[in-house]
Coordinates of all heavy atoms in Angstrom, one line a residue:
M29 N 0.8 -1.2 -0.1 CA 0.1 0.0 0.1 C 0.8 1.3 -0.1 O 0.6 2.2 -0.7 CB -0.9 0.0 1.2 CG -2.0 1.1 1.3 SD -3.2 1.1 0.0 CE -4.3 2.4 0.3
R30 N 2.0 1.2 0.7 CA 2.9 2.3 0.8 C 3.6 2.5 -0.6 O 3.5 3.6 -1.0 CB 4.0 2.2 1.9 CG 4.9 3.4 2.0 CD 6.2 3.0 2.7 NE 6.0 2.5 4.0 CZ 6.8 1.8 4.7 NH1 8.0 1.5 4.1 NH2 6.5 1.3 5.9
E31 N 4.0 1.4 -1.2 CA 4.7 1.6 -2.5 C 3.6 2.0 -3.5 O 4.0 2.9 -4.4 CB 5.1 0.2 -2.9 CG 6.4 -0.3 -2.3 CD 6.8 -1.7 -2.5 OE1 6.2 -2.4 -3.5 OE2 7.7 -2.2 -1.8
F32 N 2.4 1.6 -3.4 CA 1.4 2.0 -4.4 C 1.2 3.5 -4.2 O 1.1 4.2 -5.2 CB 0.0 1.3 -3.9 CG -1.2 1.7 -4.9 CD1 -1.5 1.1 -5.9 CD2 -2.0 2.7 -4.3 CE1 -2.7 1.5 -6.7 CE2 -3.1 3.1 -5.0 CZ -3.5 2.4 -6.2
S33 N 1.1 4.0 -3.0 CA 0.9 5.4 -2.8 C 2.2 6.3 -3.2 O 2.0 7.4 -3.7 CB 0.6 5.6 -1.1 OG -0.5 5.0 -1.0
E34 N 3.3 5.8 -2.8 CA 4.5 6.5 -3.1 C 4.6 6.7 -4.8 O 5.0 7.7 -5.2 CB 5.8 5.7 -2.7 CG 6.0 6.0 -1.1 CD 7.0 5.3 -0.5 OE1 7.5 4.3 -1.3 OE2 7.4 5.4 0.6
A35 N 4.3 5.7 -5.5 CA 4.4 5.5 -7.0 C 3.6 6.6 -7.5 O 3.8 7.1 -8.6 CB 4.1 4.2 -7.5
R36 N 2.5 6.9 -6.8 CA 1.6 8.0 -7.4 C 1.7 9.3 -6.7 O 0.8 10.2 -6.9 CB 0.1 7.4 -7.1 CG -0.2 6.2 -8.0 CD -1.2 5.3 -7.7 NE -1.4 4.3 -8.6 CZ -0.6 3.1 -8.7 NH1 0.4 3.0 -7.9 NH2 -0.7 2.2 -9.6
N37 N 2.7 9.5 -5.9 CA 2.9 10.7 -5.2 C 1.7 11.2 -4.3 O 1.2 12.3 -4.2 CB 3.2 11.9 -6.2 CG 3.9 13.1 -5.4 OD1 4.4 12.9 -4.2 ND2 3.8 14.3 -6.0
W38 N 1.1 10.1 -3.7 CA -0.2 10.5 -2.9 C 0.1 10.5 -1.5 O -0.6 10.7 -0.6 CB -1.2 9.4 -3.1 CG -1.8 9.5 -4.4 CD1 -1.8 10.5 -5.4 CD2 -2.8 8.4 -5.0 NE1 -2.6 10.1 -6.5 CE2 -3.2 9.0 -6.2 CE3 -3.3 7.2 -4.6 CZ2 -4.1 8.2 -7.1 CZ3 -4.1 6.4 -5.3 CH2 -4.5 7.0 -6.6
V39 N 1.4 10.1 -1.1 CA 1.8 10.1 0.3 C 1.5 11.5 1.0 O 1.2 11.6 2.2 CB 3.3 9.6 0.6 CG1 3.8 9.6 2.0 CG2 3.2 8.1 0.1
Q40 N 1.8 12.4 0.1 CA 1.7 13.9 0.5 C 0.3 14.1 1.1 O 0.0 15.0 1.9 CB 2.0 14.9 -0.5 CG 1.0 14.6 -1.6 CD 1.2 15.7 -2.6 OE1 1.4 16.8 -2.5 NE2 1.3 15.2 -4.0
F41 N -0.8 13.3 0.8 CA -2.1 13.4 1.3 C -2.4 12.6 2.5 O -3.4 12.6 2.9 CB -3.1 13.2 0.1 CG -2.8 13.9 -1.2 CD1 -2.5 13.3 -2.3 CD2 -2.9 15.3 -1.0 CE1 -2.2 14.0 -3.5 CE2 -2.7 16.1 -2.3 CZ -2.2 15.4 -3.4
H42 N -1.5 11.7 2.9 CA -1.8 10.7 3.8 C -1.4 11.0 5.2 O -0.6 10.3 6.0 CB -1.1 9.3 3.3 CG -1.8 8.7 2.2 ND1 -1.3 7.6 1.6 CD2 -2.9 9.1 1.5 CE1 -2.2 7.2 0.6 NE2 -3.1 8.2 0.4
D43 N -1.8 12.1 5.6 CA -1.6 12.5 7.1 C -2.6 11.7 7.9 O -3.6 11.2 7.3 CB -1.8 14.0 7.4 CG -3.2 14.6 7.0 OD1 -3.4 14.7 5.7 OD2 -4.1 14.6 7.8
P44 N -2.5 11.6 9.2 CA -3.3 10.8 9.9 C -4.8 11.2 10.0 O -5.7 10.4 9.8 CB -2.8 10.8 11.4 CG -1.2 11.1 11.2 CD -1.2 11.9 10.0
K45 N -5.1 12.4 10.0 CA -6.5 12.9 10.0 C -7.2 12.5 8.6 O -8.2 12.1 8.6 CB -6.4 14.4 10.2 CG -7.8 15.0 10.2 CD -8.3 15.9 9.1 CE -7.4 16.5 8.2 NZ -8.0 16.8 6.9
S46 N -6.5 12.7 7.5 CA -7.0 12.4 6.3 C -7.2 10.9 6.1 O -8.3 10.6 5.6 CB -6.1 13.0 5.2 OG -6.1 14.3 5.2
L47 N -6.3 10.2 6.6 CA -6.4 8.7 6.4 C -7.6 8.2 7.3 O -8.3 7.2 6.9 CB -5.1 8.0 6.9 CG -4.1 8.1 5.9 CD1 -2.7 7.6 6.5 CD2 -4.4 7.4 4.6
V48 N -7.7 8.8 8.5 CA -8.9 8.3 9.4 C -10.2 8.6 8.7 O -11.1 7.9 8.6 CB -8.8 9.0 10.8 CG1 -10.0 8.9 11.6 CG2 -7.7 8.5 11.7
L49 N -10.3 9.8 8.1 CA -11.6 10.3 7.4 C -11.8 9.3 6.3 O -12.8 8.9 6.0 CB -11.5 11.7 7.0 CG -11.5 12.7 8.1 CD1 -11.4 14.1 7.6 CD2 -12.8 12.6 8.9
A50 N -10.8 8.9 5.5 CA -10.9 8.0 4.4 C -11.4 6.7 4.9 O -12.3 5.9 4.3 CB -9.7 7.8 3.6
L51 N -10.9 6.2 6.0 CA -11.2 5.0 6.6 C -12.6 5.0 7.0 O -13.5 4.1 6.7 CB -10.3 4.8 7.8 CG -10.6 3.4 8.7 CD1 -10.3 2.3 7.8 CD2 -9.7 3.4 10.0
V52 N -13.2 6.1 7.7 CA -14.6 6.1 8.0 C -15.4 6.2 6.9 O -16.5 5.7 6.9 CB -14.7 7.4 9.0 CG1 -16.2 7.8 9.1 CG2 -13.9 7.4 10.3
G53 N -15.0 6.8 5.9 CA -15.7 6.9 4.6 C -16.1 5.5 4.1 O -17.1 5.1 3.6
E54 N -15.0 4.7 4.1 CA -15.1 3.4 3.5 C -15.9 2.5 4.4 O -16.7 1.5 4.0 CB -13.7 2.6 3.4 CG -12.8 3.3 2.3 CD -13.5 3.3 0.9 OE1 -14.3 2.7 0.6 OE2 -13.0 4.3 0.1
V55 N -15.8 2.6 5.9 CA -16.7 2.0 6.6 C -18.1 2.3 6.4 O -19.1 1.5 6.4 CB -16.4 2.2 8.2 CG1 -17.4 1.8 9.1 CG2 -15.0 1.7 8.5
G56 N -18.5 3.6 6.0 CA -19.8 4.0 5.7 C -20.2 3.3 4.5 O -21.3 2.9 4.4
E57 N -19.4 3.2 3.5 CA -19.7 2.4 2.3 C -20.0 1.0 2.5 O -21.0 0.5 2.0 CB -18.6 2.5 1.2 CG -18.4 3.9 0.6 CD -17.3 3.9 -0.5 OE1 -16.9 3.0 -1.0 OE2 -16.9 5.2 -0.7
L58 N -19.4 0.3 3.4 CA -19.6 -1.0 3.8 C -20.9 -1.0 4.6 O -21.8 -1.9 4.2 CB -18.5 -1.5 4.7 CG -18.7 -2.9 5.3 CD1 -18.8 -4.0 4.2 CD2 -17.6 -3.3 6.3
A59 N -21.3 -0.1 5.5 CA -22.6 -0.2 6.2 C -23.6 0.1 5.3 O -24.6 -0.6 5.5 CB -22.4 1.1 7.3
E60 N -23.5 0.8 4.3 CA -24.6 1.2 3.2 C -25.1 -0.1 2.6 O -26.2 -0.2 2.3 CB -24.0 2.1 2.2 CG -25.0 2.9 1.4 CD -24.5 3.9 0.4 OE1 -23.2 3.8 0.3 OE2 -25.2 4.6 -0.1
L61 N -24.2 -1.1 2.5 CA -24.6 -2.3 1.8 C -25.7 -3.1 2.7 O -26.4 -3.9 2.1 CB -23.5 -3.1 1.5 CG -22.4 -2.7 0.7 CD1 -21.1 -3.6 0.5 CD2 -22.8 -2.4 -0.9
F62 N -25.5 -2.9 4.0 CA -26.3 -3.7 4.9 C -27.4 -3.0 5.7 O -28.3 -3.6 6.3 CB -25.3 -4.3 6.0 CG -24.5 -5.3 5.3 CD1 -23.2 -4.9 5.0 CD2 -24.8 -6.6 5.1 CE1 -22.1 -5.8 4.5 CE2 -24.0 -7.5 4.6 CZ -22.7 -7.1 4.3
Q63 N -27.4 -1.7 5.5 CA -28.2 -0.7 6.3 C -29.7 -1.1 6.2 O -30.4 -1.0 7.3 CB -28.0 0.6 6.2 CG -28.4 1.3 4.9 CD -28.1 2.8 5.0 OE1 -27.5 3.4 5.8 NE2 -28.4 3.5 3.8
W64 N -30.2 -1.4 5.1 CA -31.7 -1.6 5.1 C -32.1 -3.0 4.9 O -33.3 -3.3 4.5 CB -32.3 -0.8 3.9 CG -32.1 0.7 4.0 CD1 -31.3 1.6 3.2 CD2 -32.4 1.5 5.1 NE1 -31.4 2.9 3.6 CE2 -32.1 2.9 4.8 CE3 -33.1 1.1 6.3 CZ2 -32.2 3.8 5.8 CZ3 -33.3 2.4 7.2 CH2 -32.9 3.6 7.0
L65 N -31.2 -3.9 5.0 CA -31.6 -5.4 5.1 C -32.3 -5.7 6.3 O -31.9 -5.3 7.5 CB -30.4 -6.3 5.1 CG -29.4 -6.2 3.9 CD1 -28.3 -7.2 4.1 CD2 -30.2 -6.4 2.5
P66 N -33.5 -6.4 6.3 CA -34.3 -6.7 7.5 C -33.4 -7.5 8.4 O -32.9 -8.5 7.9 CB -35.4 -7.4 6.8 CG -35.5 -7.0 5.5 CD -34.2 -6.6 5.0
A67 N -33.3 -7.2 9.7 CA -32.4 -7.9 10.6 C -32.6 -9.4 10.5 O -31.6 -10.2 10.6 CB -32.6 -7.4 12.0
D68 N -34.0 -9.9 10.4 CA -34.2 -11.3 10.5 C -33.8 -11.9 9.1 O -33.7 -13.2 9.1 CB -35.7 -11.6 10.9 CG -36.5 -11.1 9.9 OD1 -36.1 -10.2 9.1 OD2 -37.8 -11.5 9.8
Q69 N -33.5 -11.2 8.1 CA -33.1 -11.8 6.9 C -31.7 -11.4 6.4 O -31.2 -12.0 5.3 CB -34.1 -11.4 5.8 CG -35.5 -11.7 6.0 CD -36.5 -10.9 5.0 OE1 -36.1 -10.8 3.8 NE2 -37.5 -10.3 5.4
A70 N -31.0 -10.7 7.2 CA -29.8 -10.2 6.9 C -28.6 -11.3 6.6 O -27.9 -11.2 5.6 CB -29.3 -9.3 7.9
Q71 N -28.7 -12.4 7.4 CA -27.8 -13.3 7.3 C -28.0 -14.1 5.9 O -27.0 -14.3 5.0 CB -27.8 -14.5 8.4 CG -26.7 -15.5 8.4 CD -25.3 -14.9 8.7 OE1 -25.2 -13.9 9.4 NE2 -24.3 -15.3 8.1
A72 N -29.2 -14.4 5.5 CA -29.3 -15.1 4.2 C -29.1 -14.2 3.2 O -28.5 -14.6 2.0 CB -30.9 -15.6 4.3
L73 N -29.5 -12.9 3.2 CA -29.4 -12.0 2.1 C -27.9 -11.7 1.9 O -27.4 -11.4 0.8 CB -30.0 -10.7 2.4 CG -31.6 -10.8 2.4 CD1 -32.3 -9.6 2.8 CD2 -32.2 -11.1 0.9
A74 N -27.1 -11.6 2.9 CA -25.7 -11.4 2.9 C -24.9 -12.5 2.2 O -23.9 -12.2 1.6 CB -25.1 -11.2 4.3
S75 N -25.5 -13.6 1.8 CA -24.8 -14.5 1.1 C -25.1 -14.4 -0.4 O -24.6 -15.2 -1.1 CB -25.3 -16.0 1.6 OG -26.6 -16.3 1.4
D76 N -26.0 -13.6 -0.7 CA -26.1 -13.2 -2.3 C -24.7 -12.9 -2.7 O -24.0 -12.1 -2.3 CB -27.1 -12.0 -2.2 CG -27.1 -11.5 -3.7 OD1 -27.9 -12.1 -4.5 OD2 -26.5 -10.6 -4.2
P77 N -24.5 -13.5 -3.9 CA -23.1 -13.4 -4.5 C -22.7 -11.9 -4.9 O -21.6 -11.5 -4.6 CB -23.2 -14.3 -5.8 CG -24.2 -15.3 -5.6 CD -25.2 -14.7 -4.6
K78 N -23.6 -11.2 -5.3 CA -23.4 -9.8 -5.6 C -23.1 -8.9 -4.5 O -22.1 -8.2 -4.4 CB -24.6 -9.1 -6.4 CG -24.8 -9.6 -7.9 CD -25.9 -8.9 -8.5 CE -26.1 -9.5 -10.0 NZ -27.4 -9.1 -10.6
L79 N -24.0 -9.2 -3.4 CA -23.7 -8.5 -2.1 C -22.4 -8.8 -1.6 O -21.5 -8.0 -1.1 CB -24.9 -8.7 -1.2 CG -24.6 -7.9 0.2 CD1 -24.5 -6.4 -0.1 CD2 -25.9 -8.2 1.0
K80 N -21.9 -10.2 -1.6 CA -20.8 -10.7 -1.0 C -19.5 -10.1 -1.8 O -18.6 -9.8 -1.1 CB -20.7 -12.2 -1.1 CG -19.9 -12.9 -0.2 CD -20.2 -14.4 -0.3 CE -19.2 -15.1 0.6 NZ -19.4 -16.6 0.6
Q81 N -19.7 -10.0 -3.1 CA -18.6 -9.4 -3.9 C -18.5 -7.9 -3.6 O -17.3 -7.4 -3.1 CB -19.0 -9.5 -5.3 CG -18.1 -8.6 -6.2 CD -16.7 -9.2 -6.6 OE1 -16.5 -10.4 -6.4 NE2 -15.8 -8.4 -6.9
R82 N -19.6 -7.2 -3.4 CA -19.4 -5.6 -2.9 C -18.8 -5.6 -1.5 O -18.0 -4.6 -1.2 CB -20.8 -5.0 -3.0 CG -21.3 -4.8 -4.5 CD -20.6 -3.7 -5.2 NE -20.7 -2.5 -4.4 CZ -19.6 -1.8 -3.9 NH1 -18.3 -2.2 -3.9 NH2 -19.9 -0.7 -3.2
A83 N -19.3 -6.5 -0.6 CA -18.9 -6.4 0.7 C -17.4 -6.8 0.8 O -16.6 -6.0 1.5 CB -19.5 -7.4 1.6
G84 N -16.9 -7.7 0.0 CA -15.4 -7.8 -0.1 C -14.6 -6.7 -0.6 O -13.6 -6.4 -0.1
E85 N -15.3 -6.0 -1.5 CA -14.5 -4.8 -2.0 C -14.4 -3.7 -1.0 O -13.2 -3.1 -0.7 CB -15.3 -4.2 -3.3 CG -15.3 -5.2 -4.4 CD -16.2 -4.8 -5.5 OE1 -17.0 -3.9 -5.4 OE2 -16.1 -5.5 -6.6
E86 N -15.4 -3.5 -0.2 CA -15.5 -2.4 0.8 C -14.7 -2.8 1.9 O -14.0 -2.1 2.5 CB -16.9 -2.1 1.2 CG -17.8 -1.4 0.1 CD -17.2 -0.3 -0.7 OE1 -16.3 0.3 -0.1 OE2 -17.5 -0.1 -1.8
I87 N -14.7 -4.1 2.3 CA -13.8 -4.6 3.5 C -12.4 -4.4 3.1 O -11.7 -4.1 3.9 CB -14.3 -6.1 3.8 CG1 -15.7 -6.1 4.5 CG2 -13.2 -6.6 4.7 CD1 -16.1 -7.6 4.7
S88 N -12.1 -4.7 1.9 CA -10.7 -4.5 1.4 C -10.3 -3.1 1.3 O -9.3 -2.8 1.9 CB -10.5 -4.9 0.0 OG -10.8 -6.4 -0.2
D89 N -11.3 -2.2 1.1 CA -10.9 -0.7 1.1 C -10.7 -0.3 2.7 O -9.7 0.4 2.9 CB -12.2 0.2 0.7 CG -12.2 0.1 -0.9 OD1 -11.2 -0.3 -1.5 OD2 -13.3 0.6 -1.4
V90 N -11.5 -0.7 3.5 CA -11.4 -0.4 5.0 C -9.9 -1.1 5.5 O -9.1 -0.3 6.1 CB -12.3 -1.2 5.8 CG1 -12.2 -1.1 7.3 CG2 -13.7 -0.5 5.4
F91 N -9.6 -2.2 5.1 CA -8.4 -2.8 5.6 C -7.3 -2.2 5.0 O -6.3 -1.8 5.7 CB -8.4 -4.4 5.0 CG -7.1 -5.1 5.2 CD1 -6.8 -5.5 6.6 CD2 -6.2 -5.3 4.3 CE1 -5.6 -6.1 6.8 CE2 -5.0 -6.0 4.6 CZ -4.8 -6.4 5.8
L92 N -7.2 -1.7 3.6 CA -6.1 -1.1 3.0 C -5.8 0.3 3.7 O -4.8 0.7 3.9 CB -6.3 -0.9 1.6 CG -6.2 -2.4 0.9 CD1 -6.7 -2.3 -0.6 CD2 -4.7 -2.8 0.9
Y93 N -7.0 1.1 4.0 CA -6.9 2.4 4.5 C -6.3 2.2 6.1 O -5.5 3.1 6.5 CB -8.1 3.2 4.6 CG -8.2 4.1 3.4 CD1 -9.3 4.0 2.6 CD2 -7.2 5.0 3.0 CE1 -9.5 4.7 1.4 CE2 -7.3 5.7 1.8 CZ -8.4 5.6 1.1 OH -8.5 6.4 -0.1
L94 N -6.8 1.2 6.7 CA -6.3 0.9 8.0 C -4.8 0.5 8.1 O -4.1 1.0 9.0 CB -7.1 -0.3 8.7 CG -6.9 -0.5 10.1 CD1 -7.5 0.5 11.0 CD2 -7.7 -1.7 10.5
L95 N -4.5 -0.3 7.2 CA -3.0 -0.6 7.1 C -2.1 0.6 6.7 O -1.1 0.7 7.3 CB -2.9 -1.7 5.9 CG -1.7 -2.6 5.9 CD1 -1.5 -3.4 7.1 CD2 -1.9 -3.4 4.6
R96 N -2.6 1.5 5.8 CA -2.0 2.7 5.5 C -1.8 3.6 6.7 O -0.7 4.2 7.0 CB -2.6 3.5 4.3 CG -1.9 4.5 3.8 CD -0.6 4.2 3.0 NE 0.2 5.3 2.8 CZ 1.1 5.7 3.5 NH1 1.6 5.1 4.6 NH2 1.8 6.8 3.4
L97 N -2.9 3.7 7.5 CA -2.9 4.6 8.6 C -1.9 4.1 9.6 O -0.9 4.8 10.3 CB -4.4 4.7 9.3 CG -4.4 5.4 10.6 CD1 -4.0 6.9 10.5 CD2 -5.8 5.2 11.1
A98 N -2.0 2.7 9.9 CA -0.9 2.2 10.8 C 0.4 2.4 10.3 O 1.4 2.6 11.2 CB -1.3 0.6 11.1
D99 N 0.7 2.3 9.1 CA 2.0 2.3 8.6 C 2.4 3.8 8.7 O 3.6 4.1 9.2 CB 2.1 2.1 7.0 CG 3.4 2.2 6.5 OD1 4.4 1.7 7.0 OD2 3.5 2.7 5.2
E100 N 1.7 4.8 8.5 CA 1.9 6.1 8.6 C 2.2 6.5 10.1 O 3.1 7.4 10.4 CB 0.8 7.0 8.1 CG 1.1 8.6 7.9 CD 2.1 8.7 6.9 OE1 2.4 7.9 6.0 OE2 3.0 9.8 7.0
L101 N 1.6 5.8 11.0 CA 1.7 6.1 12.4 C 2.8 5.3 13.0 O 3.3 5.4 14.2 CB 0.5 5.8 13.3 CG -0.6 6.8 12.9 CD1 -2.0 6.4 13.7 CD2 -0.4 8.2 13.3
G102 N 3.5 4.4 12.2 CA 4.6 3.6 12.7 C 4.2 2.5 13.6 O 4.9 1.9 14.5
I103 N 2.9 2.0 13.3 CA 2.4 1.0 14.1 C 2.5 -0.4 13.5 O 2.0 -0.5 12.3 CB 0.9 1.3 14.7 CG1 0.9 2.5 15.5 CG2 0.2 0.1 15.2 CD1 -0.5 3.1 15.6
D104 N 3.1 -1.4 14.1 CA 3.1 -2.7 13.5 C 1.7 -3.3 13.8 O 1.4 -3.8 14.9 CB 4.2 -3.5 14.2 CG 4.2 -4.9 13.6 OD1 3.1 -5.5 13.2 OD2 5.3 -5.5 13.4
L105 N 0.8 -3.4 12.8 CA -0.6 -3.7 13.1 C -0.8 -5.2 13.4 O -1.6 -5.4 14.3 CB -1.5 -3.5 11.8 CG -2.9 -3.5 11.8 CD1 -3.5 -2.7 12.8 CD2 -3.6 -3.1 10.5
S106 N 0.0 -6.1 12.9 CA -0.1 -7.4 13.4 C 0.3 -7.5 14.9 O -0.3 -8.2 15.6 CB 0.9 -8.3 12.4 OG 0.9 -9.5 13.0
Q107 N 1.5 -7.0 15.3 CA 1.9 -7.0 16.7 C 0.9 -6.2 17.5 O 0.5 -6.8 18.7 CB 3.2 -6.2 16.8 CG 3.9 -6.2 18.1 CD 5.1 -5.6 18.3 OE1 5.3 -4.5 17.6 NE2 6.0 -6.2 19.0
A108 N 0.3 -5.1 17.1 CA -0.7 -4.4 18.0 C -2.0 -5.3 18.1 O -2.5 -5.2 19.3 CB -1.1 -3.0 17.4
A109 N -2.4 -6.0 17.0 CA -3.6 -6.8 17.1 C -3.4 -8.0 18.1 O -4.1 -8.4 18.8 CB -4.0 -7.2 15.8
N110 N -2.2 -8.6 18.0 CA -1.9 -9.6 18.8 C -1.9 -9.2 20.2 O -2.3 -10.0 21.2 CB -0.5 -10.3 18.5 CG -0.6 -11.2 17.2 OD1 -1.7 -12.0 17.1 ND2 0.3 -11.2 16.4
Q111 N -1.3 -8.1 20.6 CA -1.3 -7.6 22.0 C -2.7 -7.2 22.4 O -3.0 -7.6 23.6 CB -0.4 -6.3 22.0 CG 1.1 -6.6 22.0 CD 2.0 -5.2 22.0 OE1 1.4 -4.3 21.6 NE2 3.2 -5.4 22.0
K112 N -3.5 -6.8 21.5 CA -4.9 -6.5 22.0 C -5.7 -7.8 22.2 O -6.5 -7.8 23.2 CB -5.7 -5.7 20.8 CG -7.0 -5.2 21.1 CD -6.9 -4.2 22.1 CE -8.4 -3.7 22.5 NZ -8.4 -2.6 23.4
M113 N -5.5 -8.8 21.4 CA -6.2 -10.1 21.6 C -5.7 -10.7 23.0 O -6.4 -11.3 23.7 CB -5.8 -11.1 20.5 CG -6.7 -10.7 19.3 SD -8.4 -10.7 19.6 CE -8.8 -12.3 20.4
S114 N -4.4 -10.6 23.3 CA -3.9 -11.1 24.5 C -4.5 -10.4 25.6 O -4.9 -11.0 26.7 CB -2.3 -10.9 24.6 OG -1.7 -11.7 23.6
A115 N -4.6 -9.1 25.6 CA -5.3 -8.4 26.7 C -6.7 -8.7 26.8 O -7.2 -8.8 28.0 CB -5.1 -6.8 26.3
S116 N -7.5 -9.0 25.7 CA -8.9 -9.4 25.7 C -9.0 -10.7 26.3 O -10.0 -11.0 27.1 CB -9.4 -9.4 24.3 OG -9.6 -8.0 23.9
E117 N -8.1 -11.6 26.1 CA -8.1 -13.0 26.6 C -8.0 -12.9 28.1 O -8.7 -13.6 28.8 CB -6.9 -13.8 26.1 CG -7.0 -14.2 24.6 CD -7.6 -15.4 24.4 OE1 -7.9 -16.2 25.3 OE2 -7.8 -15.8 23.2
E118 N -7.3 -12.0 28.7 CA -7.2 -11.8 30.2 C -8.3 -11.1 30.6 O -8.9 -11.5 31.7 CB -6.0 -10.9 30.5 CG -4.5 -11.7 30.4 CD -3.5 -10.9 30.9 OE1 -3.6 -10.1 31.8 OE2 -2.4 -11.3 30.5
R119 N -8.8 -10.1 30.0 CA -10.0 -9.2 30.4 C -11.4 -10.0 30.4 O -12.1 -9.9 31.3 CB -10.0 -8.0 29.5 CG -11.1 -7.1 30.1 CD -11.0 -5.8 29.2 NE -12.2 -5.0 29.5 CZ -12.8 -4.0 28.7 NH1 -12.1 -3.8 27.5 NH2 -13.8 -3.2 29.1
F120 N -11.5 -11.0 29.5 CA -12.7 -11.4 29.3 C -12.5 -13.1 29.5 O -12.5 -13.9 28.4 CB -13.4 -11.3 27.9 CG -13.6 -9.9 27.7 CD1 -12.9 -9.0 26.7 CD2 -14.6 -9.1 28.5 CE1 -13.2 -7.8 26.5 CE2 -14.9 -7.9 28.2 CZ -14.2 -7.1 27.3
A121 N -12.3 -13.6 30.6 CA -12.1 -14.9 31.0 C -13.3 -15.7 30.4 O -14.5 -15.3 30.7 CB -11.8 -15.2 32.3
I122 N -13.1 -16.8 29.7 CA -14.2 -17.6 29.2 C -15.1 -18.0 30.3 O -16.4 -17.9 30.1 CB -13.7 -18.9 28.6 CG1 -12.8 -18.5 27.3 CG2 -14.9 -19.9 28.1 CD1 -12.0 -19.7 26.8
S123 N -14.7 -18.3 31.4 CA -15.6 -18.8 32.5 C -16.5 -17.6 32.9 O -17.5 -17.9 33.6 CB -14.8 -19.3 33.8 OG -13.8 -18.3 34.2
D124 N -16.0 -16.4 32.8 CA -16.8 -15.2 33.3 C -17.9 -14.8 32.3 O -18.9 -14.1 32.6 CB -15.9 -14.0 33.5 CG -15.0 -14.3 34.7 OD1 -15.4 -15.2 35.6 OD2 -14.1 -13.6 34.8
V125 N -17.6 -15.1 31.0 CA -18.4 -14.3 29.9 C -19.0 -15.2 28.9 O -19.6 -14.8 28.0 CB -17.5 -13.2 29.1 CG1 -17.0 -12.2 30.2 CG2 -16.3 -13.8 28.4
H126 N -18.8 -16.5 29.1 CA -19.2 -17.4 27.9 C -20.8 -17.3 27.7 O -21.6 -17.4 28.6 CB -19.0 -18.9 28.4 CG -19.2 -19.9 27.4 ND1 -20.3 -20.7 27.3 CD2 -18.3 -20.1 26.3 CE1 -20.3 -21.4 26.1 NE2 -19.1 -21.1 25.6
G127 N -21.0 -17.0 26.5 CA -22.4 -16.8 26.0 C -23.1 -15.4 26.4 O -24.2 -15.1 26.1
Q128 N -22.3 -14.5 27.0 CA -22.8 -13.2 27.3 C -22.2 -12.1 26.6 O -20.9 -12.1 26.4 CB -22.6 -12.9 28.8 CG -23.1 -14.0 29.8 CD -22.7 -13.8 31.3 OE1 -22.3 -12.7 31.5 NE2 -22.7 -14.9 32.1
A129 N -23.0 -11.1 26.1 CA -22.4 -10.0 25.6 C -21.5 -9.2 26.5 O -21.8 -9.0 27.6 CB -23.4 -9.0 24.9
P130 N -20.2 -8.9 26.0 CA -19.5 -8.1 26.9 C -20.0 -6.7 27.3 O -20.6 -6.0 26.6 CB -18.1 -7.8 26.2 CG -18.5 -8.2 24.7 CD -19.6 -8.9 24.8
L131 N -20.0 -6.4 28.6 CA -20.6 -5.2 29.1 C -19.5 -4.0 29.1 O -18.4 -4.4 29.5 CB -21.2 -5.3 30.4 CG -22.4 -6.3 30.6 CD1 -22.9 -6.5 32.0 CD2 -23.6 -5.8 29.7
K132 N -19.8 -2.9 28.9 CA -18.9 -1.8 29.0 C -18.7 -1.4 30.4 O -19.7 -1.4 31.2 CB -19.4 -0.6 28.3 CG -18.5 0.5 27.7 CD -17.8 -0.1 26.4 CE -17.0 1.1 25.9 NZ -15.8 0.5 25.1
S133 N -17.5 -1.4 30.8 CA -17.2 -1.0 32.3 C -16.2 0.2 32.3 O -15.6 0.6 31.4 CB -16.6 -2.2 32.9 OG -15.3 -2.5 32.4
Ligands
MG12 MG1 -15.0 1.8 -1.2

């Protein structure tokens, strides 16, 4: 993603604020695909090949902007995600939360 951006001289536009806004815009495009699906039919409708294709495209846009943002901030996304998962494993012990939605504390 960095090479793609550098080759096009787009890195000059990739300050953290602009990347966050681009990321939010792509999340909005992803949400738009699902926003009016009836909740009780959403799972079945989401397996429609055309919707699945579009969802894959928007999820990719989200992922790529997230990756670019992490790169710009000097964050190793893989390492940060692994640390976050380890913290969540400790915070939400299976015996305490199994089958329960996590509550905000
Ligand atoms: Mg998009």
